[in-house]
Amino acid sequence: MQSVPNIVRPDKDPVLNEENPFEAMMERFDRAAELLNLEPGIYAVLRHPEKQIITSVPVMMDNGEVEVFQGIRVLYNTSRGPAKGGIRFDAKVSLDEVTALAAWMTWKCAVVDIPFGGAKGGVICDPYRLSMGELERLTRRYTASILDVLGPDSDVPAPDVNTNERVMAWIMDTYSMHMRHTVTSVVTGKPVAMGGSLGRREATGRGVKIVIREALRELGIPVHGTTVAVQGFGNVGSVAARLLEEEGLTVVAISDMTGGVYNANGIYIGEALKWVAEHKFLEGFPHGEPITNEELLELGVDVLVPAALENVITKRNAPNIKAKIIAEGANGPTTAPADAILDEKGVFVIPDILANAGGVTVSYFEWVQNREGYFWSEELVIKRLREVMIRSFHNVLDYARQHHVNLRTASYMLAIDRVAAVHRMRGIYA
Ligand code: GLU
């Protein structure tokens, strides 16, 4: 295990790469820090991750050969509580990306005011190429190699891109074997039968729906007749699409990594879910015309939900975006230069650290239930999630109006202010 205490990045270098997620996060952070007039010491602390782990993960493949993967876990900040954040399995994972995502988790937990810090993890691999057995061995060995930081009071993983309840079950089991007793609260997003929370699987998509509903109310746009395009049909996009449809909006376009479909009369999401359950991907779904992921973003819809990966809205396509509302289901779907363009166009952007915070909010509920050993009904989970999302939406909106900034800057300012306040109270341990 190799711990790198500092991010390899000189302070204050110019933003060179629009699509580097760490740069994207830092640009927003710097702007918020400046507006907050953050003192230099706290500014310096919050600009650096607490801990970055890079580890080699050897796996015995099904063909009898050993392959070594790279695993990463970054604990960005733990001042407000245990580090919290998902683990993704993806070929494009990098230290910069995971660090940005860990910082975003820190701000996200602070925006919705739950007592967690921020973390993220990843393993560089192509999970679609791995068998179930290989995935399990990879997960268990990765877990073992970051065991020093894991724990209900120190670092609590959850699902993210290409990981799910099954992966969480393996992490929980591996950790528990090392502790010599069952520790349910070490991960969230577990299967309900082994301590997961009802409503966790749908929580991110449900949170996206709740903030879109609030935004429509705020902007005086009626629900009926409002059109939506959703990019991504995984755990976030598919649930958001289904719940928005249920709410009375018309979902005219959906997509996944194989491309999208468009139907001006609305896509019946139940049919799309059935198709994906059978065929794995949306490709070939017959109830609409095929479109590309790029075309989906530029459709003439009222609401756009990017719920796939980072950097899909850039300075190149931002001028062509026609949506009135963008609700960021993914983490970091909009680059920093694109923010300015959307702002100028008057698009109501509900930023990722607010829009997709429903997942980590119910993760918090799961962690609380595990520690209490007492489980809530699904109705109670949904009720409390609604309360948190609506309160946070209005906190950010009020903050934005008060400080004459957009919702992105407001959410960063609110979050950074909360984290900074705790740093001031705790002081610097010498
Ligand atoms: N991966 C999710 C996110 O990006 C959930 C994290 C969690 O529940 O800890 O917000």
Side-chain angles (χ1 to χ4, degrees):
M1 186 167 79
Q2 181 196 348
S3 262
V4 186
N6 264 335
I7 185 113
V8 195
R9 181 181 191 275
D11 273 359
K12 295 259 186 199
D13 57 355
V15 172
L16 298 172
N17 178 0
E18 178 185 6
E19 299 196 354
N20 177 321
F22 189 73
E23 303 283 359
M25 189 283 297
M26 252 333 148
E27 180 153 349
R28 275 74 169 253
F29 171 82
D30 278 350
R31 181 167 157 66
E34 203 178 308
L35 289 167
L36 283 169
N37 232 330
L38 212 61
E39 57 271 47
I42 304 245
Y43 171 79
V45 169
L46 296 186
R47 246 177 155 266
H48 292 89
E50 268 176 35
K51 192 174 284 178
Q52 294 174 305
I53 299 167
I54 300 174
T55 172
S56 296
V57 184
V59 177
M60 179 68 77
M61 305 303 278
D62 291 347
N63 64 8
E65 279 171 25
V66 175
E67 249 184 70
V68 180
F69 297 87
Q70 190 178 79
I72 300 168
R73 183 77 181 162
V74 175
L75 276 58
Y76 196 84
N77 189 285
T78 58
S79 59
R80 302 177 79 251
K84 187 81 191 79
I87 290 172
R88 58 174 59 181
F89 289 169
D90 196 72
K92 272 183 39 242
V93 164
S94 68
L95 182 61
D96 259 2
E97 181 196 46
V98 176
T99 304
L101 289 159
W104 276 322
M105 285 308 304
T106 307
W107 317 136
K108 192 185 300 186
C109 292
V111 166
V112 288
D113 208 7
I114 57 177
F116 284 140
K120 203 76 171 197
V123 178
I124 306 173
C125 65
D126 178 358
Y128 293 100
R129 221 180 40 83
L130 300 177
S131 70
M132 192 67 83
E134 290 166 344
L135 263 182
E136 176 172 355
R137 293 191 290 279
L138 175 85
T139 304
R140 288 186 182 277
R141 182 59 188 253
Y142 168 71
T143 306
S145 66
I146 59 167
L147 207 69
D148 286 349
V149 294
L150 291 185
D153 290 313
S154 44
D155 181 21
V156 185
D160 199 78
V161 174
N162 296 330
T163 56
N164 55 18
E165 294 179 1
R166 191 188 305 119
V167 173
M168 296 308 113
W170 292 327
I171 295 176
M172 189 274 234
D173 183 70
T174 307
Y175 182 84
S176 297
M177 286 297 133
H178 282 267
M179 294 301 129
R180 320 303 296 162
H181 63 277
T182 295
V183 185
T184 53
S185 51
V186 70
V187 283
T188 59
K190 300 176 289 294
V192 171
M194 51 177 279
S197 177
L198 292 168
R200 172 63 186 86
R201 197 185 305 158
E202 301 80 18
T204 313
R206 189 180 298 281
V208 170
K209 190 243 7 198
I210 295 168
V211 292
I212 290 174
R213 195 67 194 75
E214 282 307 290
L216 292 175
R217 197 167 287 137
E218 202 50 48
L219 300 176
I221 304 174
V223 165
H224 289 277
T226 292
T227 54
V228 192
V230 181
Q231 183 183 61
F233 209 65
N235 186 44
V236 183
S238 71
V239 174
R242 182 172 61 77
L243 295 176
L244 287 165
E245 176 190 57
E246 215 175 274
E247 197 78 18
L249 288 87
T250 308
V251 182
V252 295
I254 53 175
S255 71
D256 66 12
M257 58 196 272
T258 63
V261 264
Y262 172 76
N263 186 333
N265 300 317
I267 292 164
Y268 180 41
I269 302 302
E271 286 294 328
L273 287 167
K274 242 197 279 161
W275 180 269
V276 170
E278 261 172 55
H279 302 85
K280 215 167 157 186
F281 296 110
L282 277 171
E283 198 169 20
F285 180 64
H287 305 291
E289 317 159 23
I291 52 168
T292 64
N293 264 296
E294 294 71 36
E295 285 165 344
L296 180 142
L297 297 170
E298 299 181 13
L299 287 173
V301 288
D302 300 305
V303 183
L304 177 63
V305 183
L309 289 169
E310 293 100 89
N311 298 330
V312 294
I313 303 177
T314 64
K315 62 180 179 220
R316 284 179 293 285
N317 62 359
N320 308 331
I321 285 192
K322 296 167 195 78
K324 298 185 192 92
I325 298 172
I326 298 179
E328 296 182 335
N331 291 308
T334 309
T335 66
D339 265 354
I341 300 169
L342 297 175
D343 215 20
E344 211 161 285
K345 287 165 69 97
V347 183
F348 191 90
V349 179
I350 314 172
D352 47 5
I353 58 174
L354 169 64
N356 72 34
V360 75
T361 300
V362 177
S363 277
Y364 167 56
F365 297 163
E366 181 172 329
W367 181 81
V368 169
Q369 291 171 78
N370 290 159
R371 293 168 75 103
E372 274 188 326
Y374 183 76
F375 288 85
W376 310 352
S377 67
E378 189 168 10
E379 290 70 41
L380 185 59
V381 170
I382 293 174
K383 176 176 172 284
R384 290 189 169 158
L385 170 64
R386 268 184 66 77
E387 283 166 10
V388 170
M389 294 306 296
I390 292 177
R391 185 192 63 219
S392 308
F393 176 87
H394 288 286
N395 282 345
V396 172
L397 193 63
D398 292 349
Y399 199 98
R401 288 186 175 148
Q402 221 179 318
H403 296 264
H404 309 289
V405 292
N406 62 24
L407 297 183
R408 169 115 42 222
T409 305
S411 62
Y412 272 73
M413 287 175 76
L414 192 65
I416 292 167
D417 202 27
R418 284 182 178 155
V419 179
V422 173
H423 272 282
R424 267 177 226 122
M425 286 181 239
R426 290 182 61 157
I428 300 294
Y429 178 68

